[in-house]
Amino acid sequence: AVDVMESGGGSVQAGGSLRLSCVASGSTGPNFCLGWWRQPPGGQREWVAASTFGGGDTHYADPVKGRFIISQENTKKMVYLHMDNVQPEDTAMYYCAADRECTVIGGHWLIAGSAAWGQGTQVTVSS
């Protein structure tokens, strides 16, 4: 089984920066995928960014390209989401997820039903 845990959420003003952290534990596999999704108030969950361990590939959803960076720390099975120039529309509960691999097709992470999810960390951006 795989567990993931997020940390680092909080409140920030528009234009500011925030860093989220996620650590995975358990039987993740050699090229597993660790990344971020978010769910805004009253909205649907959408993917944000993903990173492949072993290969180092990174993937981003269009709304965050150029503002968010996902980085990984291989030895600790950790990823960080560096969020710059955040905007009120970035307000959401951010979830970390671990999947056997990053299946990104058509700019969308097709996450498996067996993926592991964290409890979420809230990010609130004020204007």
Side-chain angles (χ1 to χ4, degrees):
V2 176
D3 290 315
V4 294
M5 185 169 66
E6 314 93 336
S7 61
S11 298
V12 62
Q13 289 191 324
S17 299
L18 204 62
R19 189 183 79 163
L20 307 182
S21 303
C22 172
V23 60
S25 60
S27 303
T28 51
N31 297 307
F32 74 104
C33 184
L34 198 58
W36 296 92
W37 291 66
R38 68 185 181 185
Q39 186 165 13
Q44 293 187 334
R45 194 171 295 191
E46 59 184 19
W47 88 282
V48 176
S51 181
T52 300
F53 279 71
D57 292 340
T58 57
H59 313 272
Y60 297 93
D62 286 343
V64 306
K65 283 181 180 176
R67 299 188 300 122
F68 293 7
I69 294 175
I70 187 169
S71 62
Q72 61 179 237
E73 215 171 321
N74 288 338
T75 58
K76 297 182 180 180
K77 294 185 181 180
M78 288 190 71
V79 289
Y80 304 97
L81 186 66
H82 307 267
M83 307 165 62
D84 291 326
N85 190 25
V86 294
Q87 300 298 315
E89 53 265 33
D90 295 318
T91 294
M93 183 70 79
Y94 283 70
Y95 297 91
C96 185
D99 202 350
R100 294 188 65 83
E101 58 185 3
C102 288
T103 303
V104 179
I105 299 175
H108 187 75
W109 179 6
L110 302 180
I111 194 167
S114 57
W117 293 86
Q119 294 297 309
T121 185
Q122 178 68 38
V123 172
T124 302
V125 183
S126 58
S127 57

